[in-house]
Amino acid sequence: MIDTHIHLDFKDFEPDLTSVLENARLTGVKAFIIPGADINTLPSAIEIAQKYDDVFFAVGVHPNDIKDFNEDTLESFITHKKCVAVGECGLDYYYTKEHKDEQEKYFRYQLELALEHNLPVILHIRDSKDDFEASNDAARILKDYPNIKGVFHCFNANTDLLSFQNNFYYGIGGVSTFKNAKDLQDVIKLLGMDKILLETDAPFLAPTPYRGQRNESKYLDLIALKIASLKNLEVKDVVTKSTQNALNLFQKVAI
């Protein structure tokens, strides 16, 4: 398995990072991708990737952290041999829509950066509680970049985003195991296994029965098990196909 989205550069993992990685490897995790979220933790992500052969990173700025956006920092690390993507970038209207124009500006910048360097993007698209405006805006923006490839991280189950299946994968994590995630579970049944990536988003969104605790890559097998159950497949088939999908998208990842 490949954990395509784990924030190993967050302070949550500082006390026991080596153990977290070792425990995940024992469950069959062969590689870890640290997304770029907060520009201030990027040096830590790079340091971790340089220390461990099976850890890779992306350069990017989360839409909630664009106040610290720094073009020079992203561009200075994008050619690093272990940089496998741009992101996580996108739109987040969950808490406020006050900075929509600014979010779109930096989203477009990162899409263009990815195209310039022939890298995939890791997308963060989060709607408000009241509507699907973020998803709609993301779809509008992505139509301007027909050659971009990537993954909808923590896929929000918006079926309109399924129209991008030619170029995009859909990241499935611990939310898929929650009792109240029926919409996502229904969409997983619709998705072909050739479009699914496994992710934890650790330290967030630990799967059932560990919901509310610190998430880790060692729980990735629980997500694979849930997907297998929803799609009436063998777990080994979910693992094999999702791993191949990750290697197809993140071509600089080696296992």
Side-chain angles (χ1 to χ4, degrees), residues 1-253:
M1 296 178 288
I2 296 176
D3 190 345
T4 60
H5 201 106
I6 177 169
H7 297 279
L8 294 172
D9 52 335
F10 282 16
K11 290 184 178 180
D12 306 69
F13 294 116
E14 278 185 3
D16 58 346
L17 177 60
T18 298
S19 296
V20 167
L21 294 173
E22 289 176 351
N23 290 336
R25 293 176 188 129
L26 290 173
T27 66
V29 181
K30 299 296 185 183
F32 311 80
I33 298 175
I34 306 173
D38 183 345
I39 200 93
N40 297 306
T41 66
L42 181 58
S44 177
I46 295 168
E47 181 180 348
I48 294 167
Q50 290 179 154
K51 183 176 180 178
Y52 300 100
D53 290 343
D54 52 1
V55 178
F56 302 84
F57 73 93
V59 293
V61 180
H62 188 288
N64 289 338
D65 291 307
I66 54 175
K67 66 183 183 302
D68 295 324
F69 194 90
N70 187 300
E71 297 177 7
D72 292 338
T73 299
L74 295 186
E75 294 187 10
S76 64
F77 292 115
I78 197 168
T79 57
H80 191 289
K81 65 179 182 179
K82 299 199 82 176
C83 176
V84 300
V86 172
E88 61 185 287
C89 58
L91 305 172
D92 192 320
Y93 299 169
Y94 187 77
Y95 296 106
T96 179
K97 299 180 184 180
E98 290 182 3
H99 307 293
K100 286 168 51 180
D101 291 345
E102 193 174 13
Q103 285 194 33
E104 178 169 339
K105 172 186 173 181
Y106 290 114
F107 183 21
R108 287 184 179 274
Y109 175 85
Q110 291 176 87
L111 291 173
E112 290 163 9
L113 185 66
L115 285 171
E116 179 184 347
H117 291 272
N118 194 31
L119 289 172
V121 289
I122 300 170
L123 300 189
H124 172 104
I125 310 297
R126 191 178 189 190
D127 290 304
S128 71
K129 297 177 181 178
D130 303 318
D131 57 46
F132 300 108
E133 192 173 356
S135 292
N136 294 336
D137 283 353
R140 169 180 55 82
I141 293 165
L142 289 173
K143 288 175 182 176
D144 292 339
Y145 303 90
N147 296 322
I148 200 80
K149 299 182 185 300
V151 54
F152 289 99
H153 146 65
C154 197
F155 181 48
N156 63 9
N158 187 308
T159 53
D160 289 341
L161 298 180
L162 296 179
S163 63
F164 294 94
Q165 288 187 63
N166 284 346
N167 286 3
F168 277 82
Y169 295 86
Y170 299 82
I172 306 299
V175 174
S176 64
T177 69
F178 297 173
K179 288 183 178 180
N180 62 348
K182 188 177 184 303
D183 288 349
L184 177 59
Q185 292 163 1
D186 288 344
V187 170
I188 291 171
K189 295 174 185 177
L190 296 175
L191 276 173
M193 266 312 304
D194 61 339
K195 293 283 97 182
I196 290 176
L197 298 183
L198 300 181
E199 61 171 55
T200 59
D201 200 18
F204 313 110
L205 301 175
T208 304
Y210 302 101
R211 187 174 182 179
Q213 300 179 31
R214 184 185 73 170
N215 199 5
E216 299 183 29
S217 290
K218 68 180 181 181
Y219 300 141
L220 204 61
D221 57 350
L222 296 177
I223 298 163
L225 181 64
K226 183 63 178 182
I227 294 170
S229 174
L230 290 169
K231 300 184 71 62
N232 197 26
L233 296 171
E234 296 290 332
V235 176
K236 65 178 181 179
D237 294 331
V238 172
V239 169
T240 299
K241 188 58 183 173
S242 63
T243 299
Q244 188 57 57
N245 294 341
L247 294 173
N248 290 343
L249 181 63
F250 302 109
Q251 296 187 3
K252 292 171 70 175
V253 171

